[in-house]
Coordinates of all heavy atoms in Angstrom, one line a residue:
E192 N 14.7 2.2 -13.0 CA 15.8 1.3 -12.6 C 17.2 1.7 -13.3 O 18.2 1.5 -12.7 CB 15.4 -0.2 -13.0 CG 16.4 -1.2 -12.5 CD 17.3 -1.7 -13.6 OE1 16.9 -1.7 -14.8 OE2 18.5 -2.1 -13.2
K193 N 17.0 2.2 -14.5 CA 18.3 2.6 -15.3 C 18.7 4.0 -14.9 O 19.7 4.5 -15.4 CB 18.0 2.5 -16.8 CG 17.8 1.0 -17.3 CD 17.5 1.0 -18.8 CE 17.4 -0.5 -19.2 NZ 17.0 -0.5 -20.7
G194 N 17.9 4.7 -14.1 CA 18.2 6.1 -13.8 C 18.4 6.3 -12.3 O 18.0 7.4 -11.8
F195 N 18.8 5.4 -11.5 CA 19.0 5.6 -10.1 C 19.9 6.8 -9.8 O 19.7 7.4 -8.7 CB 19.6 4.3 -9.4 CG 18.6 3.2 -9.3 CD1 19.0 1.9 -9.2 CD2 17.2 3.4 -9.2 CE1 18.1 0.8 -9.1 CE2 16.3 2.4 -9.0 CZ 16.7 1.1 -9.0
E196 N 20.8 7.1 -10.7 CA 21.7 8.3 -10.4 C 21.0 9.6 -10.7 O 21.4 10.6 -10.3 CB 23.0 8.2 -11.3 CG 22.8 8.4 -12.8 CD 22.1 7.3 -13.5 OE1 21.9 6.2 -12.9 OE2 21.9 7.4 -14.7
I197 N 19.8 9.5 -11.4 CA 19.0 10.7 -11.7 C 17.9 10.9 -10.7 O 17.7 12.1 -10.2 CB 18.4 10.6 -13.1 CG1 19.5 10.3 -14.2 CG2 17.7 11.9 -13.5 CD1 18.9 10.0 -15.5
F198 N 17.3 9.9 -10.3 CA 16.1 10.0 -9.5 C 16.4 9.6 -8.0 O 16.9 8.6 -7.7 CB 15.0 9.0 -10.0 CG 14.8 9.1 -11.5 CD1 14.9 8.0 -12.3 CD2 14.4 10.3 -12.1 CE1 14.7 8.1 -13.7 CE2 14.1 10.4 -13.5 CZ 14.3 9.3 -14.3
D199 N 16.1 10.6 -7.2 CA 16.3 10.4 -5.7 C 15.1 9.7 -5.1 O 14.1 10.4 -4.8 CB 16.6 11.8 -5.1 CG 16.7 11.6 -3.6 OD1 17.0 10.5 -3.1 OD2 16.6 12.7 -2.9
L200 N 15.2 8.4 -5.0 CA 14.0 7.7 -4.5 C 13.8 7.9 -3.0 O 12.7 7.7 -2.5 CB 14.2 6.2 -4.7 CG 14.3 5.7 -6.2 CD1 14.4 4.2 -6.3 CD2 13.1 6.3 -7.0
S201 N 14.8 8.4 -2.3 CA 14.6 8.7 -0.9 C 13.6 9.9 -0.7 O 12.9 10.0 0.4 CB 15.9 9.1 -0.2 OG 16.4 10.3 -0.7
G202 N 13.4 10.7 -1.8 CA 12.4 11.8 -1.7 C 11.0 11.4 -2.1 O 10.1 12.2 -2.1
V203 N 10.8 10.1 -2.4 CA 9.5 9.6 -2.8 C 8.7 9.2 -1.5 O 9.2 8.3 -0.8 CB 9.6 8.4 -3.8 CG1 8.2 7.8 -4.0 CG2 10.2 8.8 -5.1
D204 N 7.7 9.9 -1.3 CA 6.9 9.7 0.0 C 5.9 8.5 -0.2 O 5.5 7.9 0.8 CB 6.1 10.9 0.4 CG 7.0 12.1 0.6 OD1 7.7 12.1 1.6 OD2 7.0 13.0 -0.3
Y205 N 5.5 8.2 -1.4 CA 4.5 7.2 -1.7 C 4.8 6.5 -3.0 O 4.9 7.2 -4.0 CB 3.1 7.8 -1.7 CG 2.0 6.8 -1.4 CD1 2.0 6.0 -0.3 CD2 1.0 6.6 -2.4 CE1 1.0 5.1 0.0 CE2 0.0 5.6 -2.2 CZ 0.0 4.9 -1.0 OH -1.0 3.9 -0.8
L206 N 5.0 5.2 -3.0 CA 5.3 4.4 -4.2 C 4.1 3.6 -4.5 O 3.6 2.7 -3.7 CB 6.5 3.6 -4.0 CG 6.9 2.6 -5.1 CD1 7.2 3.4 -6.4 CD2 8.0 1.7 -4.7
I207 N 3.5 3.7 -5.7 CA 2.4 2.9 -6.2 C 2.9 2.0 -7.3 O 3.6 2.4 -8.2 CB 1.3 3.8 -6.8 CG1 0.8 4.8 -5.7 CG2 0.1 2.9 -7.2 CD1 -0.1 5.9 -6.3
V208 N 2.6 0.7 -7.2 CA 3.1 -0.3 -8.1 C 1.9 -0.9 -8.8 O 1.2 -1.8 -8.2 CB 4.0 -1.4 -7.4 CG1 4.5 -2.3 -8.5 CG2 5.1 -0.7 -6.7
D209 N 1.7 -0.5 -10.1 CA 0.6 -1.1 -10.8 C 1.0 -2.5 -11.4 O 2.2 -2.6 -11.7 CB 0.1 -0.2 -12.0 CG -1.1 -0.7 -12.7 OD1 -1.9 -1.4 -12.0 OD2 -1.3 -0.4 -13.9
E210 N 0.1 -3.4 -11.5 CA 0.5 -4.8 -12.0 C 1.6 -5.3 -11.1 O 2.6 -5.8 -11.5 CB 0.9 -4.8 -13.4 CG -0.1 -4.1 -14.4 CD -1.4 -5.0 -14.5 OE1 -1.4 -6.1 -14.2 OE2 -2.4 -4.4 -15.0
A211 N 1.3 -5.3 -9.8 CA 2.4 -5.6 -8.8 C 2.8 -7.0 -8.8 O 3.9 -7.4 -8.2 CB 1.9 -5.2 -7.4
H212 N 2.1 -7.9 -9.5 CA 2.6 -9.3 -9.6 C 3.9 -9.5 -10.3 O 4.5 -10.5 -10.3 CB 1.5 -10.2 -10.3 CG 1.0 -9.6 -11.6 ND1 0.0 -8.7 -11.7 CD2 1.5 -9.9 -12.9 CE1 -0.1 -8.4 -13.0 NE2 0.7 -9.1 -13.7
H213 N 4.4 -8.4 -11.0 CA 5.7 -8.4 -11.7 C 6.8 -8.2 -10.7 O 8.0 -8.4 -11.0 CB 5.8 -7.3 -12.7 CG 4.8 -7.5 -13.9 ND1 4.9 -8.6 -14.7 CD2 3.9 -6.7 -14.4 CE1 4.0 -8.6 -15.6 NE2 3.3 -7.4 -15.5
T214 N 6.5 -7.9 -9.4 CA 7.5 -7.5 -8.4 C 8.1 -8.8 -7.9 O 8.0 -9.1 -6.7 CB 6.9 -6.7 -7.3 OG1 6.1 -5.6 -7.9 CG2 8.0 -6.0 -6.5
T215 N 8.9 -9.5 -8.7 CA 9.5 -10.8 -8.3 C 10.9 -10.9 -8.9 O 11.2 -10.3 -9.9 CB 8.6 -12.0 -8.8 OG1 8.5 -11.9 -10.2 CG2 7.3 -12.0 -8.2
K216 N 11.7 -11.7 -8.2 CA 13.1 -12.0 -8.7 C 13.9 -10.8 -9.2 O 14.0 -9.8 -8.4 CB 13.0 -13.1 -9.8 CG 12.3 -14.4 -9.3 CD 12.2 -15.4 -10.4 CE 11.5 -16.7 -9.8 NZ 11.3 -17.7 -10.8
E217 N 14.3 -10.8 -10.4 CA 15.2 -9.7 -10.9 C 14.4 -8.8 -11.8 O 15.1 -8.0 -12.6 CB 16.4 -10.3 -11.7 CG 17.3 -11.2 -10.8 CD 17.9 -10.3 -9.6 OE1 18.4 -9.2 -9.9 OE2 17.9 -10.8 -8.5
H218 N 13.1 -8.8 -11.8 CA 12.3 -7.9 -12.6 C 12.6 -6.4 -12.1 O 12.9 -6.2 -11.0 CB 10.8 -8.2 -12.4 CG 10.0 -7.5 -13.4 ND1 9.7 -6.2 -13.4 CD2 9.4 -8.0 -14.5 CE1 8.9 -5.9 -14.4 NE2 8.7 -6.9 -15.1
A219 N 12.6 -5.5 -13.1 CA 12.9 -4.1 -12.8 C 12.0 -3.6 -11.7 O 12.4 -2.8 -10.8 CB 12.7 -3.2 -14.1
Y220 N 10.7 -4.1 -11.6 CA 9.8 -3.7 -10.5 C 10.5 -4.0 -9.1 O 10.5 -3.2 -8.2 CB 8.5 -4.5 -10.6 CG 7.4 -3.8 -11.3 CD1 7.6 -3.0 -12.4 CD2 6.1 -4.0 -10.9 CE1 6.6 -2.4 -13.0 CE2 5.0 -3.4 -11.5 CZ 5.3 -2.6 -12.6 OH 4.2 -1.9 -13.2
A221 N 11.0 -5.2 -9.0 CA 11.6 -5.7 -7.7 C 12.8 -4.8 -7.4 O 13.0 -4.4 -6.3 CB 11.9 -7.1 -7.8
L222 N 13.6 -4.6 -8.4 CA 14.9 -3.8 -8.2 C 14.6 -2.4 -7.8 O 15.2 -1.8 -6.9 CB 15.7 -3.8 -9.5 CG 16.2 -5.2 -10.0 CD1 16.9 -5.0 -11.3 CD2 17.0 -5.8 -8.9
V223 N 13.5 -1.7 -8.4 CA 13.2 -0.4 -8.0 C 12.6 -0.4 -6.5 O 13.0 0.5 -5.7 CB 12.1 0.2 -9.0 CG1 11.6 1.5 -8.4 CG2 12.7 0.4 -10.3
C224 N 11.8 -1.3 -6.2 CA 11.2 -1.4 -4.8 C 12.3 -1.6 -3.8 O 12.3 -1.0 -2.7 CB 10.2 -2.5 -4.8 SG 8.7 -2.1 -5.7
Q225 N 13.2 -2.5 -4.1 CA 14.3 -2.7 -3.2 C 15.2 -1.5 -3.0 O 15.6 -1.1 -1.8 CB 15.2 -3.9 -3.7 CG 14.6 -5.2 -3.7 CD 15.3 -6.3 -4.5 OE1 16.4 -6.0 -4.9 NE2 14.7 -7.4 -4.6
E226 N 15.5 -0.7 -4.1 CA 16.3 0.5 -4.0 C 15.5 1.6 -3.2 O 16.1 2.3 -2.4 CB 16.6 1.0 -5.4 CG 17.5 2.2 -5.4 CD 18.9 2.0 -4.8 OE1 19.3 0.8 -4.6 OE2 19.6 3.0 -4.6
Y227 N 14.2 1.6 -3.4 CA 13.4 2.6 -2.7 C 13.4 2.4 -1.2 O 13.6 3.3 -0.4 CB 11.9 2.5 -3.3 CG 10.9 3.3 -2.4 CD1 11.0 4.7 -2.3 CD2 9.9 2.6 -1.7 CE1 10.0 5.4 -1.6 CE2 9.0 3.3 -1.0 CZ 9.0 4.7 -0.9 OH 8.1 5.3 -0.1
F228 N 13.2 1.1 -0.8 CA 13.2 0.8 0.6 C 14.6 1.1 1.2 O 14.7 1.6 2.3 CB 12.9 -0.7 0.8 CG 11.4 -0.9 1.0 CD1 10.5 -0.8 -0.1 CD2 10.9 -1.3 2.2 CE1 9.2 -1.1 0.0 CE2 9.5 -1.5 2.4 CZ 8.6 -1.4 1.3
R229 N 15.7 0.8 0.5 CA 17.0 1.0 1.0 C 17.3 2.5 1.2 O 17.8 2.9 2.3 CB 18.0 0.4 0.0 CG 19.5 0.5 0.5 CD 20.5 0.2 -0.5 NE 20.5 1.2 -1.6 CZ 21.1 2.3 -1.5 NH1 21.8 2.7 -0.4 NH2 21.1 3.2 -2.5
Q230 N 16.9 3.3 0.2 CA 17.2 4.7 0.3 C 16.4 5.4 1.4 O 16.9 6.3 2.1 CB 16.9 5.4 -1.1 CG 18.0 5.1 -2.2 CD 17.8 6.0 -3.4 OE1 17.3 7.1 -3.3 NE2 18.3 5.5 -4.5
R231 N 15.1 5.0 1.5 CA 14.3 5.6 2.5 C 14.8 5.2 3.9 O 14.9 6.1 4.8 CB 12.9 5.1 2.4 CG 12.1 5.6 1.2 CD 11.7 7.1 1.3 NE 10.6 7.3 2.2 CZ 10.1 8.5 2.4 NH1 10.6 9.6 1.8 NH2 9.1 8.7 3.3
K232 N 15.2 4.0 4.1 CA 15.6 3.5 5.4 C 17.0 4.1 5.8 O 17.3 4.4 6.9 CB 15.7 2.0 5.5 CG 14.3 1.4 5.5 CD 14.3 -0.1 5.6 CE 12.9 -0.7 5.7 NZ 12.9 -2.2 5.7
D233 N 17.8 4.3 4.8 CA 19.2 4.9 5.0 C 19.0 6.3 5.5 O 19.9 6.8 6.3 CB 20.0 4.9 3.7 CG 20.5 3.6 3.4 OD1 20.4 2.6 4.2 OD2 21.1 3.4 2.3

Side-chain angles (χ1 to χ4, degrees):
E192 188 259 330
K193 292 177 181 178
F195 285 154
E196 73 283 356
I197 305 172
F198 311 120
D199 178 18
L200 296 184
S201 69
V203 174
D204 301 289
Y205 198 60
L206 175 64
I207 304 169
V208 183
D209 188 29
E210 305 293 343
H212 52 274
H213 292 303
T214 314
T215 58
K216 299 179 181 178
E217 296 300 313
H218 193 283
Y220 264 37
L222 298 177
V223 172
C224 290
Q225 290 167 9
E226 183 66 13
Y227 168 66
F228 271 72
R229 185 190 68 79
Q230 289 192 24
R231 291 287 287 182
K232 289 181 177 179
D233 283 351

